[in-house]
Each structure stands twice: as C-alpha cells, then as structure tokens.
Amino acid sequence: MSTLSPTRRTGPRRPPHPAPLLALGAVWAGAAGVLALWWTDTASVVGPADWLTGAGRITGLLAGYACAVLVALMARIPLLDHSLGTDRLARWHAHGGRYTLSLVLAHTLLIIWGYTLTSHSGVVDETTTLVLDYPDMLKATAGFLLLVGTGIVSARAARRRMSYETWHYLHFATYLAVFLAFGHQLSNGADFVGRRPAQLAWYALYGAVAALILWYRFVVPVHRALRHRLRVADVHPEAPGVVSVRLTGERLTELGARPGQFFRWRFLAPGLRWTAAPYSLSAPPLPHELRITVKAAGGHSAAMARLRPGTRVWAEGPYGAFTAKRRSPEKVLLLAGGVGITPLRALFETLPGEVTLLYRAHRPEDLALRGELDAIAAARGAAVHYSVSEPAAHSTPLTARALSRLVPDLAAHEVYLCGPPGMAEAARRALRGAGVPRRHIHHESFEF
C-alpha cells in the first residue's frame, strides 16, 4: 500500500457543465409557452369567481405540461442520460413529481371552487356535475386518483417499506393516469376548445413523449436482446451475500458501454423476468463479455446467486454519466462504500492519470473484489486504502482531516463517490470541508 506525496493543483479548473442549465432552460421555456396560452385567451379577470377559475386554468395547464416533462425525464433518452446522469434525472423526476401533484390538487380545488361561485351552487353538487356531466371527466377523475395514489407510494416514508420490485410496478400507474387525464384537457380546457393550433401543439407534445417512451423503453431493449443474445456464463461468490455474474453475448461493443455505467438487467428466470433492476458493470466491458457484481439486498438481488449458466438476459442501457468523461484534473480519488465498489472497480482499472482508491466496508470479509483491486493497484502503481468498521483500529473516519491525511492535496482531486446514502452524504460533507469543489464530486446513486 502506498501513499501519494503532496503536490500542487495541476491543470485548469473547468467551468460547470452547461447541460443541466440548458435542460432546465428548455423546461422553463416550455412552461412559459404554456402560460402564454392562458394569457392570449384571457381578456380580463373580474371578481373572485374569475380569479379562482383563472388560477385553476393556469395550474391545470402547468400540471398537464409537467406530466409530459415527468414522463420524458424517465424515458431513458441516451442524450439526456449520458450528459446529465441518471441519478440527476431521477432527482429531477422526484422533485417534479411533488410539484406536479401539488399543481393537480390546486387545479382540482380551484376549478371546483371557482365554478361553485359562478353557478351559486354547493361544492358537492358542483363536483358531482363536473365529474358526471362534463366530457371525459370520469376518466380524468380516475387518473387523478391514480396519480395521487402513486404520489403516496412514492413518498420517502412509504418507499422505505416496500421492495424495489413492488415500487417499480406501482410506478407504472403514472402512465395510465396521464393517459386517462389527457382527454379532459382538450374537451373542457378553455384554452384549447375551439383553438386548433393549441390542440395540435398539445397532441404533438404528448405524442413526442409517447414515441420516446415506446422507442427507448420497449423497441430498443427488444432489438438489443435479439441482436446481442446475452446469457449468464457463470456466477461467482465474492463476499458474504455478494456475487459476480459474468455474461457473454455477441457484438457487445455496439452497446457503447463505458466503465462506470450500468444497465437495467432483466433475467429470464423464475422470479426475475418481470423486473429490470439496475446493476453497474464491475469490470471494463469486453467485445463478448460483461460482468456485474451484486449484493443481496432484496428479493431480486438475492435471487442472483441462484442464476444458472445459459439463462437468457435482456439488458437496457448503458446508462449514467459516471464515466471518465467527467474527469478533468490529472489526480482522481475513487471513494467506495460497500457494494458501491462495483462501478469504481471498473474505473480504477481504466482511468488515466494518478488514481487513489479508498474502499470502506463493515468487516474485512465484506471487501468484495479485493484481490482484483490489489492486482490493479500493483499493475498501475496506484494507491489503494481499505477501511472497515470492525475492528475499529482499521477504520478511517469520513472527516475532512482524515481524508486529507490519507490523500495529500485532496482539493486538487476529482472524486468519484459511490456507496450507501448515509455514507455518501458524510463523504460529500467531508470532501467539501477539505476544499474539493462541488462540481468535482461525482456521485452515483440508485435511489430511484
């Protein structure tokens, strides 16, 4: 085990990547265009009923637009995924989901309230009239209930209580909710009725999103499954509860996978075929071979140890921007916790420049792939440090001082970080305290 000697910062510090700002700018520009529909169609607003109904129209327009954006964020579009990163898209989707649900609730309440004041009727009577007498409102009500239900099961407290597989299936209700609610926007929306250009623009927006979902979520995976013919070659234990799965196939270079990326894997075996779960490549991709390393943390991952050679596999991807493209300085720190070592092991072998690896686990026997890591470190003359919680004498605390002692000139390093949420958050605070710029800390997360 070696330790790097202190050096000064090398190379220019690059500016923030423009992709997030460009993407957010496009989203907000679309929202401004949607608001223009209301502005151009509203001559005046007079009295409480008009104000409430107008606010209901605005929140409805924004909710409809936000639903399309939410679905597009999870369409797995390679251009977005490889430039923004899957974890960033997932965070935007989660935040946008709460924003969208708030808009939907506000739209519903404001419209009912505004219509009640206009017709001088009771809330219950007006709600009944809206649902039963207005076109497409029964379907929209069903979509509303589905969307609220999906929001509830996606809340952090509820999400912790269910398996990834259950959450994954329930989340598909979002598509059905959007489909059911679409018709009432054009049938009843004052900004669309009798305005053919606005209707065509709305059809184009939703049609484009539907085409992206169909293409990237269904057509591309089926085509790649037939073309590359991936199969399980063997399953090898690496640590308690951790196995590596080696897969072989044809023309795998066409996938364009890079170290640090992941696929969503669908194993055509009992109990696994209906879920596509995300696992990182734990070794650089080869022309006829890929490898993943998985820790048993749920029903899907635990079943991986029972896979048989020859099992057919569908792979969706590659996904993620956790690659060498993010690297700028010559010096890199790879910081792994637990099974978070998997993408970092592939990067440890392939990243150019001066690379240091810090791998944290609970016990020495939990250090998966340790033999490979030692061999890579010896071959490239890199530093690798292991830290375990038990025994405590071999633990390196995640503090700015401890990391700076272990990795001299830490502030001059690019950092790739992958591990459990608590460990990752503590590491981010320590790295920022040690002077590492925020944009040089790259975090991979599967908290979808």
Side-chain angles (χ1 to χ4, degrees):
M1 185 184 299
S2 61
T3 303
L4 300 177
S5 57
T7 59
R8 293 184 178 273
R9 287 185 178 181
T10 58
R13 310 303 271 178
R14 72 175 185 275
H17 198 285
L21 291 177
L22 291 174
L24 287 173
V27 170
W28 286 111
V34 168
L35 287 176
L37 285 176
W38 175 84
W39 181 263
T40 58
D41 192 48
T42 304
S44 62
V45 180
V46 180
D50 275 4
W51 280 106
L52 289 169
T53 303
R57 287 169 55 193
I58 291 172
T59 51
L61 285 168
L62 289 175
Y65 172 70
C67 283
V69 172
L70 276 184
V71 175
L73 287 176
M74 289 290 99
R76 301 173 187 171
I77 304 168
L79 177 63
L80 290 179
D81 191 274
H82 296 169
S83 58
L84 298 175
T86 308
D87 52 349
R88 190 199 299 268
L89 290 173
R91 288 195 300 273
W92 287 4
H93 178 79
H95 293 317
R98 292 188 283 272
Y99 165 78
T100 303
L101 187 57
S102 299
L103 285 173
V104 169
L105 291 170
H107 165 68
T108 303
L109 295 174
L110 289 167
I111 286 293
I112 291 174
W113 192 1
Y115 280 25
T116 298
L117 292 181
T118 300
S119 62
H120 305 288
S121 61
V123 172
V124 175
D125 289 340
E126 189 61 37
T127 302
T128 303
T129 300
L130 280 170
V131 172
L132 298 181
D133 295 345
Y134 280 62
D136 296 313
M137 280 303 300
L138 273 175
K139 291 190 296 182
T141 302
F144 168 78
L145 295 175
L146 273 176
L147 197 63
V148 171
T150 304
I152 292 172
V153 301
S154 298
R156 191 177 299 274
R159 175 72 181 88
R160 292 195 189 103
R161 298 175 180 270
M162 66 181 68
S163 67
Y164 170 84
E165 293 83 5
T166 302
W167 173 84
H168 179 78
Y169 288 129
L170 289 175
H171 220 63
F172 276 113
T174 304
Y175 296 138
L176 180 57
V178 172
F179 173 76
L180 290 172
F182 177 77
H184 94 285
Q185 300 174 71
L186 302 181
S187 301
N188 303 301
D191 303 292
F192 293 106
V193 174
R195 302 182 69 187
R196 192 61 177 168
Q199 292 176 3
L200 292 176
W202 215 244
Y203 274 118
L205 173 65
Y206 275 78
V209 172
L212 290 171
I213 288 288
L214 179 65
W215 182 257
Y216 287 113
R217 298 293 296 268
F218 298 99
V219 175
V220 170
V222 170
H223 173 263
R224 287 182 171 176
L226 297 175
R227 180 165 179 78
H228 300 296
R229 300 183 179 276
L230 276 168
R231 294 182 182 273
V232 173
D234 57 60
V235 179
H236 177 71
E238 301 286 1
V242 179
V243 297
S244 284
V245 181
R246 189 169 61 89
L247 308 114
T248 56
E250 302 173 5
R251 299 180 287 270
L252 299 185
T253 53
E254 295 178 5
L255 293 172
R258 297 191 296 271
Q261 291 186 309
F262 69 95
F263 288 78
R264 285 180 170 87
W265 306 91
R266 188 184 304 275
F267 296 88
L268 304 187
L272 296 175
R273 67 178 70 246
W274 298 112
T275 302
Y279 300 116
S280 294
L281 296 175
S282 62
L286 300 174
H288 299 286
E289 182 179 313
L290 302 173
R291 191 186 75 175
I292 58 176
T293 300
V294 180
K295 180 178 181 179
H300 190 282
S301 53
M304 303 289 283
R306 301 190 294 272
L307 285 172
R308 295 182 178 180
T311 300
R312 290 289 303 273
V313 184
W314 287 22
E316 301 174 35
Y319 297 119
F322 198 63
T323 65
K325 288 182 68 175
R326 289 189 169 186
R327 173 183 163 276
S328 178
E330 287 297 316
K331 292 183 285 189
V332 177
L333 169 64
L334 307 177
L335 183 49
V339 78
I341 189 61
T342 53
L344 298 185
R345 182 260 177 248
L347 288 169
F348 191 41
E349 182 176 345
T350 57
L351 275 175
E354 207 170 86
V355 182
T356 302
L357 171 66
L358 171 57
Y359 182 12
R360 298 169 55 86
H362 184 56
R363 301 166 300 174
E365 55 267 34
D366 296 325
L367 293 166
L369 307 172
R370 182 169 183 173
E372 295 182 16
L373 298 173
D374 289 337
I376 294 169
R380 64 179 300 164
V384 57
H385 305 279
Y386 300 104
S387 173
V388 294
S389 303
E390 298 177 2
H394 297 282
S395 176
T396 300
L398 282 176
T399 63
R401 178 175 296 181
L403 292 178
S404 296
R405 281 201 306 264
L406 192 67
V407 184
D409 200 17
L410 178 58
H413 284 66
E414 197 99 6
V415 181
Y416 289 75
L417 168 63
C418 189
M423 170 264 177
E425 183 56 35
R428 272 197 295 261
R429 288 196 300 267
L431 292 166
R432 294 291 293 127
V436 180
R438 190 185 304 275
R439 65 181 179 274
H440 287 171
I441 302 173
H442 311 301
H443 177 218
E444 178 82 331
S445 170
F446 292 129
E447 293 294 299
F448 298 144

